[in-house]
Amino acid sequence: MSLFLLFISAFLVNNIVLMRFLGLCPFFGVSSKIETAIGMGMSVIFVMTLSTIITWFLYRYILIPFDLIYLRTVVFILVIASLVQFLELFFKKQIPGLYSALGIFLPLITTNCAILGVAFLNIDSDFGLISSIVFAISSALGFLLALVLIAGIRERLENAPIPDALKGLPISFITAALMALAFLGFSGFMGLSL
Amino acid sequence: MKQTFLDGIIKNNMVLVLAIGLCPALAVTTSAYNGIGMGMAVIFVLVFSNLLISLLRNIIPKNLRIPIFIVIISTFVTIVDYTMQAYVPPLSRQLGVFVPLIVVNCGILGRAEGYSYKHPPHYSVMDGLGIGLGFTIILFLMGTIREILGQGVWLSIPGVFPGFQVFGEAFTNSSVILMILPPGGFLAIALLMGLFNHIRMHK
């Protein structure tokens, strides 16, 4: 698959949140304001790309040669957790501007299943390094897109009359259902299927 | 101890009350059988990680606890993943990447940190069973709603059992396919959560 098709597939057709159901906790947790949604999305782009590069090299050059594939779950989660910790310390010391913008979202990212999910999907689809990086960046962009869209809708929902039982999360789920329905329209786009 | 178990099912229900573990709850529940399979995997991981952490709670140093919890949990997740690949390969293929992703289900880490690190083993096992069963029930309900509306059958097991016909042939041939597609997952959980809130408000 060409890289451009891979980008469209991961960004729209198989959108990581709405079609693959990865990263739902931050999708509903930090989507009540557009600014926080953008901050979270940016952090995810950054961490997802870095963690994909690291896990790809680890898997190819350490886990496969030493026949340790069964350790991949343990190794990947530890790598991601330490990467996030390291980035937090690094930003705090070296780039305080970026830290104040993304800092509060970084600890939340360790338990974002999209990061680990993309690392596994890269391996299961047998991607090379360049394809893995493109897949990670476009998945993260898709996450940012979905997050900003739902944040915009939820800001407007605050003043809407909603039945008591559906206030809060349930109405957000219904919103997400309608968004997923819209994204379903992309399937078949440029010959890409779900 | 009985109270611990019941609290886990209803008061601390992972999906409906705490809104945790949403990714597997939505992604794998295209059929009731998949929902049960995922639920069983989570019960196994929860019970054994709770037991081990509770047994080791006096040895695990406080400032190193989170990485240790993660290693313990991912060990049990690896066991489940490989066991399922060996004995139920079709189910394992259907659940796909969501079995190894049990590691990042914040509910399990949350129970380790919030419950089993502070309570004796038998209570922790009960808590794991209760929380896991509460999760499984929701997954089973979601799977039931989506499978019946989306395919017209109930409890089908690929290659083993075609499932009970619920609405007859005519419905099966023109079912609401939307329900087994991703939007159906969001819709099913929204309505389930709304119903749960409604019952709670009018009790």
Side-chain angles (χ1 to χ4, degrees):
Chain A
M1 202 191 295
S2 79
L3 291 180
F4 180 68
L5 275 184
L6 187 64
F7 168 75
I8 296 290
S9 164
F11 182 54
L12 293 174
V13 181
N14 288 309
N15 186 284
I16 191 158
V17 184
L18 295 169
M19 292 294 142
R20 285 193 201 269
F21 296 122
L22 289 169
L24 287 178
C25 295
F27 182 66
F28 290 108
V30 293
S31 62
S32 39
K33 285 214 168 61
I34 291 186
E35 291 98 74
T36 48
I38 292 176
M40 185 71 189
M42 292 298 183
S43 315
V44 166
I45 293 178
F46 201 76
V47 175
M48 198 178 271
T49 314
L50 272 182
S51 73
T52 297
I53 297 172
I54 296 174
T55 51
W56 190 88
F57 276 107
L58 264 178
Y59 192 75
R60 274 299 150 94
Y61 293 105
I62 296 184
L63 294 188
I64 292 183
F66 291 96
D67 209 12
L68 293 172
I69 296 173
Y70 61 90
L71 281 182
R72 66 173 200 176
T73 313
V74 185
V75 171
F76 283 13
I77 185 72
L78 286 179
V79 164
I80 291 169
S82 18
L83 173 72
V84 171
Q85 285 270 291
F86 171 77
L87 281 177
E88 203 184 341
L89 290 175
F90 180 76
F91 283 168
K92 210 173 189 173
K93 281 262 184 279
Q94 303 295 330
I95 324 175
L98 204 56
Y99 180 75
S100 57
L102 307 181
I104 48 166
F105 303 107
L106 282 173
L108 292 175
I109 284 186
T110 313
T111 50
N112 182 342
C113 51
I115 307 280
L116 190 61
V118 164
F120 285 140
L121 285 174
N122 274 325
I123 286 169
D124 292 344
S125 337
D126 226 2
F127 284 150
L129 182 61
I130 302 294
S131 308
S132 294
I133 295 173
V134 171
F135 182 70
I137 293 178
S138 34
S139 297
L141 280 173
F143 178 80
L144 174 70
L145 175 74
L147 198 63
V148 170
L149 283 178
I150 199 171
I153 300 173
R154 281 182 73 174
E155 276 186 359
R156 306 202 64 167
L157 274 179
E158 264 171 34
N159 301 322
I162 298 163
D164 282 342
L166 292 181
K167 274 192 180 131
L169 266 183
I171 196 74
S172 309
F173 278 118
I174 293 177
T175 312
L178 295 175
M179 283 169 63
L181 201 58
F183 271 73
L184 207 57
F186 287 118
S187 74
F189 181 55
M190 296 173 86
L192 295 165
S193 64
L194 201 62
Chain B
M1 229 164 117
K2 199 176 147 206
Q3 199 52 44
T4 312
F5 179 68
L6 290 177
D7 276 356
I9 297 182
I10 299 163
K11 215 178 91 193
N12 291 327
N13 190 290
M14 216 149 98
V15 181
L16 290 188
V17 179
L18 306 174
I20 280 171
L22 292 172
C23 304
L26 291 167
V28 305
T29 51
T30 46
S31 74
Y33 172 69
N34 285 357
I36 296 177
M38 188 72 206
M40 292 294 179
V42 169
I43 291 181
F44 176 87
V45 174
L46 252 175
V47 168
F48 282 94
S49 65
N50 264 8
L51 176 66
L52 196 63
I53 287 165
S54 168
L55 286 172
L56 297 175
R57 68 186 189 284
N58 296 322
I59 309 171
I60 298 175
K62 206 166 174 38
N63 39 8
L64 270 180
R65 65 187 192 286
I66 302 287
I68 294 176
F69 292 164
I70 292 179
V71 171
I72 292 176
I73 293 170
S74 47
T75 306
F76 287 112
V77 170
T78 308
I79 295 174
V80 163
D81 191 12
Y82 276 70
T83 313
M84 284 172 81
Q85 277 178 30
Y87 291 98
V88 274
L91 180 65
S92 169
R93 265 196 303 279
Q94 289 258 307
L95 302 184
V97 74
F98 288 94
V99 179
L101 283 183
I102 296 175
V103 178
V104 277
N105 185 330
C106 6
I108 296 176
L109 194 62
R111 284 338 270 178
E113 163 83 7
Y115 197 88
S116 52
Y117 193 53
K118 298 173 191 135
H119 292 84
H122 50 292
Y123 277 96
S124 301
V125 168
M126 264 338 220
D127 178 71
L129 273 178
I131 297 272
L133 200 63
F135 183 69
T136 309
I137 292 172
I138 300 304
L139 258 66
F140 174 70
L141 279 179
M142 291 269 297
T144 302
I145 297 173
R146 293 179 68 186
E147 192 181 9
I148 290 180
L149 290 176
Q151 291 177 316
V153 292
W154 187 45
L155 283 176
S156 67
I157 302 171
V160 180
F161 178 62
F164 301 106
Q165 285 284 341
V166 181
F167 296 124
E169 282 298 321
F171 184 85
T172 309
N173 293 336
S174 58
S175 56
V176 193
I177 296 170
L178 178 73
M179 286 312 283
I180 52 171
L181 289 174
F186 286 116
L187 216 53
I189 190 130
L191 298 178
L192 212 56
M193 227 177 217
L195 185 69
F196 188 74
N197 286 349
H198 183 79
I199 294 171
R200 231 175 14 174
M201 270 186 256
H202 293 270
K203 202 161 60 175

